[in-house]
Amino acid sequence: MTLHLSLVVVLTVIVCLLVRKSGLKLGHAVAAVLLGFYLQGTSLASSISQSAQAVITAINSFRL
């Protein structure tokens, strides 16, 4: 659960920065959030979750 909360916080910060600095319109950000909520209820949700988990695992395996 902590991993998901961290990912949500990171993604929220990224979207906020894009809205403020890169000219991302607020309507576009809202549309992306709504798309995420609707994707959660589809059969793609498990594939997206597994892909995100694989990326997070790969990032965590890097040693600096």
Side-chain angles (χ1 to χ4, degrees):
M1 187 64 181
T2 305
L3 180 63
H4 293 288
L5 181 62
S6 306
L7 187 57
V8 168
V9 170
V10 169
L11 291 174
T12 303
V13 169
I14 290 170
V15 169
C16 288
L17 289 174
L18 287 172
V19 167
R20 295 187 67 150
K21 302 290 182 185
S22 298
L24 179 67
K25 304 283 190 238
L26 186 59
H28 298 148
V30 170
V33 169
L34 289 175
L35 175 64
F37 280 116
Y38 283 115
L39 277 176
Q40 179 185 7
T42 67
S43 61
L44 289 174
S46 63
S47 300
I48 294 169
S49 179
Q50 290 172 354
S51 299
Q53 186 65 37
V55 169
I56 290 168
T57 303
I59 290 172
N60 284 336
S61 69
F62 288 131
R63 300 282 180 214
L64 298 176

